[in-house]
Structures are given as structure tokens and as C-alpha cells.
Amino acid sequence: QVQLVESGGGLVQAGGSLRLSCTASGSTGSIDAIGWYRQAPGKQRELVAEIPTFGRTKYADSVKGRFTVSTNNVKNIVYLQMNSLKVEDTAVYYCRYQGRIALRQYERWGQGTQVTVSS
């Protein structure tokens, strides 16, 4: 079973940078998409960035030009480089893997890592 562990969150001043990492352990099978989501207090979880196996990488409009999502070659680590951080980027960030193992679809979430941007 796939397990995801995020790291790299913390407190940063507006305009600063952070890099989040998410490490997948266990078999990830055939991956359909890897991505990052975030949830701010009182708000719904939203897509930040996603790398589909087929198709273009997607970014939320609010982070385009500031955030970059990437993976290592074997796709068991996904990164989110966040630059020019804004107060409104404050949220818990979750990584997500979606794929198939033995033809059965799966979706896995990490436990989340807090990112706090101060003014």
C-alpha cells in the first residue's frame, strides 16, 4: 500500500520561499497523476499543482509563475517549490498520488504539512 509523507513546511515571511517534499513508500503501481493540494482554515481543499502521466502539468491560477511542481526520475518523490510566497498561501499542503495497482484504482493522501506565511 502506498504511504505518503510530506516535509518542508514551516513559517516564512511574505516574499520568501519554501520547498515541500513528499516521499512515497510501497508500490505506486501505474501512476495516473501526482499532485499537491492545500486547505486553508474554513475553506475547501483545492488543487495547487498536478503532474498527470499524460497531458500537461496543471497549476492553480493563483500560483502560476510562483510555484513549480516536479518529481524525481522514479516518481517516488514529488516536490513543490514555492517562491514569492503570499499571506494567502497559508494552508495545510497535502500531496496526492492517483494510480492503479493490478488494475485497481487507488488514491492516496499524505498527512499534510503546514505552511504559514507572515506579513
Side-chain angles (χ1 to χ4, degrees):
Q1 186 163 342
V2 180
Q3 292 189 318
L4 306 176
V5 177
E6 298 106 335
S7 61
L11 174 64
V12 64
Q13 284 193 325
S17 298
L18 281 175
R19 188 173 86 151
L20 306 182
S21 300
C22 172
T23 301
S25 60
S27 173
T28 55
S30 178
I31 295 172
D32 292 326
I34 303 173
W36 288 94
Y37 288 69
R38 67 186 180 187
Q39 187 166 18
K43 294 189 176 181
Q44 288 189 330
R45 192 172 297 189
E46 63 176 1
L47 172 71
V48 177
E50 182 176 84
I51 303 175
T53 297
F54 300 102
R56 287 183 158 184
T57 298
K58 294 183 283 188
Y59 291 94
D61 288 342
S62 59
V63 308
K64 283 180 182 176
R66 300 188 297 122
F67 291 11
T68 303
V69 62
S70 62
T71 67
N72 64 348
N73 287 341
V74 296
K75 295 188 177 180
N76 67 340
I77 305 176
V78 56
Y79 304 98
L80 185 67
Q81 178 66 44
M82 305 185 293
N83 298 328
S84 302
L85 282 160
K86 303 177 180 180
V87 172
E88 52 264 42
D89 293 320
T90 296
V92 177
Y93 285 69
Y94 300 88
C95 67
R96 172 182 177 269
Y97 271 62
Q98 177 186 348
R100 286 159 286 131
I101 296 176
L103 301 181
R104 298 186 73 174
Q105 291 191 330
Y106 73 86
E107 178 186 61
R108 294 287 183 268
W109 294 86
Q111 82 286 357
T113 185
Q114 177 71 47
V115 171
T116 303
V117 184
S118 63
S119 58

